[in-house]
Amino acid sequence: MAKAFLFFDMNNDKGIQMNEFHKGVEGLRVKLPKHDIDLVFHHMDLDGDSALNYKEFCGFSEEKRRNIDPFDSLDNQ
């Protein structure tokens, strides 16, 4: 998930803004209408700050669901 996050975080500011999210989805060659990409982004943006942090980005991943995300240990240090 960390590599995927870095792929989307094009300006390396540790947050994924809407335009980066759109470019990232397009870079994956996923064909979705702009409106649907916006809906996904807003659903993931749990704190409503118009940027996805790492935890928000990973929130729906299998690693997070199974509680095996290797970066969780870094957050607790």
Side-chain angles (χ1 to χ4, degrees):
M1 289 304 296
K3 286 184 181 182
F5 182 82
L6 294 173
F7 173 80
F8 278 82
D9 184 18
M10 296 170 189
N11 65 1
N12 297 313
D13 68 350
K14 297 187 178 21
I16 300 169
Q17 286 71 36
M18 178 76 77
N19 66 327
E20 292 175 310
F21 191 70
H22 276 270
K23 288 178 185 174
V25 170
E26 291 169 7
L28 295 174
R29 298 184 183 185
V30 175
K31 302 285 187 197
L32 288 173
K34 180 186 180 316
H35 179 262
D36 290 349
I37 297 171
D38 290 348
L39 288 174
V40 171
F41 181 89
H42 290 298
H43 182 73
M44 294 173 70
D45 184 16
L46 299 176
D47 62 8
D49 68 349
S50 299
L52 302 178
N53 61 41
Y54 181 75
K55 286 189 177 203
E56 289 171 326
F57 182 77
C58 296
F60 303 106
S61 74
E62 180 69 11
E63 291 172 341
K64 188 59 89 173
R65 187 180 66 75
R66 292 177 51 208
N67 202 27
I68 58 172
D69 186 351
F71 287 90
D72 274 347
S73 62
L74 295 177
D75 289 339
N76 295 328
Q77 294 179 356

